[in-house]
Amino acid sequence: MRVLLAVDKYYPAINGVITSVKNLKEALERKGHVVKVLTLSESASTHIKDNVIYIGSMSVDKIYPDIRIKHPVMRKYIQELIEWKPDVIHTNTEFSTYKLAKDISRKTGAPMVHTYHTDYEDYVHYIALSKKVGKPIVKAYIKHVTSYMQEIIAPTQKTKLQLEGYNIRNKITVIPTGLDLSKYNKEYTAEDIEKLRTKHNLKKDVATLIFVGRLGKEKNLLEIINYLSDYRLYDYQFLIIGDGPDRKTIEQQIATTGLSNKTVFTGMVSQDDIALYYRLGSLFVSASQSETQGLTYIEALTSGLPLLCKKDDCLDNVLIEGETGWSFNNEKEFKDHLTFFLTNPDKAKEMSKKAREFAISSFSSDSFADKVLSIYQEAINNNYPKKRGMIKTVYHALLDRLPLV
């Protein structure tokens, strides 16, 4: 099968969507399929490397941090993809490369499958909109995007319910994101781990709480910091892995609450090194409620880290309460679970083992690819032109011409 994956950012950049798409590409290739990726370049130049087409783009940081939009595209690159004639097109974005992918679909007749990765209601503050004002805009636009799709994939039941709340009538299938387990199965020596621990001035005999992710407002890291600010019962250290637009605010809050001597910021970490960094941890913590796939939760579990995360529907089928971690609703629950973990080392060790076993059996990228392939085949079997009336045709034509998308 010839598969075209479309995503607006791709490796060597790092985020949950990129990791998901990269894992899928590699798993599909292992199964003998031919995969190409259509994405945006980090510069104005367009180039191709390893079946990845990087389209020249420009930054729009003033609207949303780390986001780029395409320049007018040299048609030869799109024409080459049209002549390649993909059997199916799988979009993982709702913006620049989605539009290019839709053009390729129209020219080739290839069916479109879409994975909805990002809850945009949690991001409208970047364009100075309240959630109340932004939600109808998000709803209308996502409904527009998905109207072109034969099949839709949701990483969690939470995401599926959200899409159904947008009155989207396309078939939606829940497929948890797969993980390349080979990276997390790698055996690291005690020397490797100790060297990294020394680099970041972490103590070997003190429990390490880990957060991995983008340092943005939507991740709600300040809630964790506020909970820890007056926690004095037992010793711990806090490792924050990642970077983002809220880093200065988070650093200021760390200093204000007196946590500077317990907290280490690593900044961005290469995907090649992230598995080793997880080995520094004892417990993964998060108060985010913006996750649609919770990839870092799965990474943590696979690395043997139990979870302590704010209650959210995305934790369904990921967190087994009291066995692979805990969810919390408030400060008291957070502190009670943390105290139990820090004072019960045998139980902590047992949970670490269960976390790893559960993740390995549930979230492999090969299993993920098999499920996605079945969706591709359904899309191919049920591929037919979608008919629209005049009003819808004009409506969609106008939306297609909106700037920045």
Side-chain angles (χ1 to χ4, degrees), residues 314-333:
C314 82
L315 293 169
D316 293 349
N317 303 316
V318 173
L319 188 154
I320 304 173
E321 201 71 36
E323 294 188 28
T324 63
W326 299 275
S327 59
F328 64 87
N329 292 293
N330 52 51
E331 181 175 0
K332 182 180 184 304
E333 291 179 359

Side-chain angles (χ1 to χ4, degrees), residues 9 14-15 61 64-67 123 125-126 211-222 240-252 265-269:
K9 287 178 76 73
I14 303 171
N15 63 35
D61 272 0
Y64 183 86
D66 303 326
I67 294 300
Y123 291 77
H125 60 271
Y126 284 108
F211 170 84
V212 179
R214 173 184 167 81
L215 303 187
K217 184 178 179 181
E218 67 281 353
K219 299 300 182 182
N220 201 23
L221 190 55
L222 291 179
I240 298 175
I241 301 172
D243 212 334
D246 258 28
R247 177 164 176 169
K248 286 186 177 180
T249 300
I250 292 167
E251 288 177 331
Q252 288 169 358
F265 287 85
T266 68
M268 291 295 290
V269 169

Side-chain angles (χ1 to χ4, degrees), residues 20-88:
S20 176
V21 174
K22 185 172 183 288
N23 288 342
L24 177 59
K25 176 181 183 291
E26 291 171 354
L28 290 173
E29 289 173 336
R30 285 195 298 271
K31 294 176 181 296
H33 302 281
V34 181
V35 185
K36 294 189 178 185
V37 176
L38 179 63
T39 189
L40 298 183
S41 168
E42 290 294 308
S43 69
S45 67
T46 297
H47 62 282
I48 300 175
K49 181 180 180 182
D50 299 329
N51 273 342
V52 181
I53 300 92
Y54 294 89
I55 299 297
S57 68
M58 61 182 178
S59 172
V60 286
D61 272 0
K62 290 184 178 179
I63 294 177
Y64 183 86
D66 303 326
I67 294 300
R68 305 183 70 86
I69 60 172
K70 65 182 176 63
H71 282 309
V73 182
M74 294 179 67
R75 290 302 304 176
K76 75 167 190 171
Y77 294 100
I78 303 305
Q79 186 58 39
E80 286 173 1
L81 287 172
I82 291 169
E83 292 172 1
W84 182 58
K85 293 184 178 178
D87 295 305
V88 65

